[in-house]
Amino acid sequence: MSGPALRLALEIDGDGAHPAAWRRAAHSPDHLLTPHRVAGVAAAAENAGFTLVTLEDGALPPGSAPDVVGRIGAVERAAFLAASTSVVGVAPVVPVTYAEPFHVSSQLASLDHISVGRAGWVVGDEPAPEAARAWGRPLVDGSAARAREAGDGVDVSRALWDSWEDDAVIRSVATSRYLDRDRLHHVDFTGGAYTVKGPAIVPRPPQGQLVVLGRPDAVPAGRLDVALVGGPDLAAVTAAAGRAEAPRTFAEVEVALDTPHAAAEDRVADLERHASWSERGRLRYTGSATGLVALLAELTGVVDGVRLHPLVLDEDLPVLSRLVIPALVERRLAVRPLPAATLRAHLGLERPANRYAVAVPAAPEETR
């Protein structure tokens, strides 16, 4: 635990956690994928005081007709947001069930350079057989096999981020040298489905290693910086957090809040006429902002942070910004991120040493 104050993350994919959230959105459906919409939501989250925004993704559409099912790749959206924000962390969901880890690691390292150290990675998976066909790859069948792929993907990515030492780039005009090749390293990874030689094609990220987030049941132990834990009630979340083998734990919380125009239960009922808000193993809260503050207060000391999944972003995010986060900060139950700090610093995580760097021995003390 890094302290009693929670770090707050927000999932901003689409119009909200409910599959029919677009029906209550403040914009027309054709504006969902515009740069103005994406940047506006991220700016609202940054101004509210969220530490991190995440962007869901996958090879398949996020829903089914008649609901809005379009999205742009999470890495591409994250790169755009990294350049248009200045404080909030940005973490796309990137599955490695079928994607090539070499390319994933390069994309994520580039994202950390663009954001100047504010990037994270939510490790996803692709359980549907249709995803394998979309990739043109053999099916990875079963949760154990997908977890193995996720573990290998994280291991390869971490090794590739270290394959450039921090001072490998020279950029010496006088000597016409750009790189110190002795500070580039082959990773020599051999897994069950592929081998990777390396080194990477992108210099080491500013954070050394990006912050890696994921579900403990989907990513093998020891690979995560932040474990995303859930459960139907506080006791289940507490138990899951106790089992998580990661330096930090975040609780997954779905929220539907009372707004000035409608009660939370009425808003949920309105959307349930069109589609079902299915359970996804997350803690779910429906009610007033005051009640949510009380729930999050109970989570302090249990987890290091929460990732909120609002019912409808356009309706719930303003309530979170005006009533929830200020109340948490005033009671010192949550902390806002500071300018010019990395995501690792915001989460209280140290910048890791490069595994390939040779420690320089200390100079002997002078004797008289």
Side-chain angles (χ1 to χ4, degrees):
M1 298 292 292
S2 60
L6 295 172
R7 276 65 175 172
L8 304 176
L10 181 71
E11 170 56 48
I12 64 171
D13 181 62
D15 282 313
H18 196 286
W22 65 275
R23 296 178 181 274
R24 298 186 64 93
H27 62 89
S28 60
D30 62 329
H31 288 175
L32 174 62
L33 305 181
T34 61
H36 177 77
R37 164 68 183 177
V38 176
V41 174
E46 182 172 66
N47 294 335
F50 281 95
T51 297
L52 176 68
V53 295
T54 63
L55 299 137
E56 184 62 59
D57 203 1
L60 303 177
S64 58
D67 294 310
V68 177
V69 298
R71 66 159 53 113
I72 296 173
V75 173
E76 289 77 10
R77 284 179 289 162
F80 173 70
L81 294 181
S84 58
T85 56
S86 59
V87 178
V88 69
V90 183
V93 173
V94 184
V96 285
T97 309
Y98 302 107
E100 296 288 350
F102 187 92
H103 301 310
V104 169
S105 69
S106 298
Q107 291 175 319
L108 293 171
S110 299
L111 178 62
D112 204 42
H113 283 284
I114 295 169
S115 65
V116 195
R118 292 182 289 118
W121 172 22
V122 182
V123 183
D125 66 353
E126 300 275 18
E130 294 82 2
R133 291 197 291 271
W135 278 95
R137 303 286 296 275
L139 175 66
V140 179
D141 194 15
S143 58
R146 292 194 300 273
R148 184 190 66 245
E149 290 294 300
D152 285 351
V154 173
D155 286 343
V156 170
S157 296
R158 288 193 182 277
L160 286 167
W161 293 333
D162 276 349
S163 65
W164 290 52
E165 295 186 35
D166 290 320
D167 52 358
V169 179
I170 300 172
R171 296 192 180 99
S172 172
V173 176
T175 62
S176 299
R177 297 178 68 206
Y178 177 75
L179 293 175
D180 182 347
R181 64 181 183 181
D182 292 332
R183 298 186 185 276
L184 268 62
H185 305 275
H186 295 294
V187 302
D188 293 326
F189 176 87
T190 300
Y194 51 79
T195 60
V196 176
K197 185 74 173 176
I201 57 174
V202 179
R204 195 175 193 225
Q207 296 182 97
Q209 298 271 325
L210 276 72
V211 176
V212 180
L213 308 90
R215 302 192 327 269
D217 62 328
V219 182
R223 271 76 167 191
L224 297 175
D225 296 304
V226 179
L228 302 174
V229 300
D233 51 41
L234 187 60
V237 171
T238 302
R243 294 191 301 268
E245 300 179 28
R248 300 287 181 267
T249 55
F250 273 40
E252 298 271 48
V253 184
E254 296 177 334
V255 296
L257 298 172
D258 295 338
T259 72
H261 306 291
E265 291 184 354
D266 294 338
R267 295 172 54 228
V268 174
D270 177 51
L271 294 178
E272 289 291 284
R273 296 185 296 112
H274 305 285
S276 175
W277 192 12
S278 58
E279 294 287 344
R280 299 190 62 182
R282 300 168 181 156
L283 189 63
R284 182 174 291 180
Y285 173 81
T286 303
S288 67
T290 302
L292 178 59
V293 171
L295 173 63
L296 297 181
E298 291 186 79
L299 286 170
T300 59
V302 175
V303 293
D304 301 287
V306 295
R307 181 167 69 144
L308 299 178
H309 301 258
L311 179 79
V312 181
L313 277 166
D314 287 344
E315 294 182 321
D316 292 287
L317 181 52
V319 180
L320 292 168
S321 302
R322 289 187 295 106
L323 301 179
V324 176
I325 295 181
L328 292 171
V329 173
E330 182 179 1
R331 295 172 57 184
R332 298 185 179 181
L333 298 175
V335 61
R336 295 175 181 270
L338 298 174
T342 67
L343 180 57
R344 297 189 74 88
H346 289 152
L347 299 179
L349 298 169
E350 293 183 358
R351 187 179 190 274
N354 191 305
R355 73 188 67 188
Y356 299 109
V358 178
V360 178
E365 295 183 5
E366 183 179 354
T367 58
R368 294 184 182 273

